[in-house]
Amino acid sequence: EIIRGANLAVKPGERVAVIGPNGAGKSTLFNLISGRFGSTSGDILLNGRKIDGLTPYEINRLGLSRSFQVSNLFTRLSVFENIRCGVLWSLGYKYTFWHFLANMHDVNRRSEQVMAMIKLDRRRDVLAMNLTYAEQRALEIGITIAGGADVVLLDEPTAGMSHSETTRFIQLIRQVTEGRTLLTVEHDMGVVFGLADKIA
């Protein structure tokens, strides 16, 4: 997979859509930015800091989070448990597994807030595998923002949705990424125009 001559700058708080035909390298670009793939040349900067060469989890801890084309959930955990996984590190718990999760009131409170933002609070105890497709996509976005990342990458967030689901989802994405930097890959031009300030 090759990307040559790519030069993209996104300002804090901007919403940018990356468009292009299948095979153009849009998802590859996301994989390079998020550390999933390593780059052989060039620089990738996050808030002025060089991040190429860092692992995905290191980049995430610096404030960048992403979703994938295919939902990437803990299917046998509930909506609440999925969101809570995304919240834990951001609140400083790291890998302290001896904490009793029910007593982590700050984690649970933040998880409840995120569930309300993505409008899945009424589905709190439903296993992820039993959600509708649109609900699973909403949950993935919830996990993406749960850690409080300032920069959010969404890879085809509305793929496979009906027109009515897409319309609702555009509004949801706008709400949950308010005040954040958004970079999205999208084929649906209605979604692009509904979300983006700029198009690349």
Side-chain angles (χ1 to χ4, degrees), residues 100-176:
F100 185 51
L101 290 175
N103 292 335
M104 293 181 162
H105 301 297
D106 50 350
V107 171
N108 295 334
R109 191 164 39 252
R110 172 65 181 157
S111 300
E112 299 281 357
Q113 289 169 347
V114 172
M115 281 192 307
M117 288 173 73
I118 61 172
K119 303 189 175 21
L120 287 180
D121 41 334
R122 293 183 180 175
R123 306 280 277 161
R124 181 189 196 283
D125 298 317
V126 175
L127 297 184
M129 65 184 184
N130 294 330
L131 298 173
T132 67
Y133 177 73
E135 288 173 336
Q136 287 180 351
R137 297 300 283 173
L139 179 56
E140 184 165 20
I141 288 181
I143 294 169
T144 303
I145 65 162
D150 298 322
V151 180
V152 177
L153 278 57
L154 301 180
D155 197 349
E156 297 191 38
T158 65
M161 290 189 185
S162 68
H163 179 70
S164 61
E165 287 171 336
T166 297
T167 301
R168 289 196 303 272
F169 217 61
I170 291 171
Q171 187 58 37
L172 173 65
I173 294 170
R174 289 191 70 84
Q175 288 172 352
V176 300

Side-chain angles (χ1 to χ4, degrees), residues 13-17 174 180 182 192-199:
E14 233 175 16
R15 299 169 187 267
V16 176
R174 289 191 70 84
R180 304 173 199 260
L182 174 65
V192 169
F193 293 129
L195 281 179
D197 303 318
K198 293 184 179 178
I199 300 172

Side-chain angles (χ1 to χ4, degrees), residues 9-24:
V10 181
K11 296 175 184 171
E14 233 175 16
R15 299 169 187 267
V16 176
V18 178
I19 64 172
N22 288 332

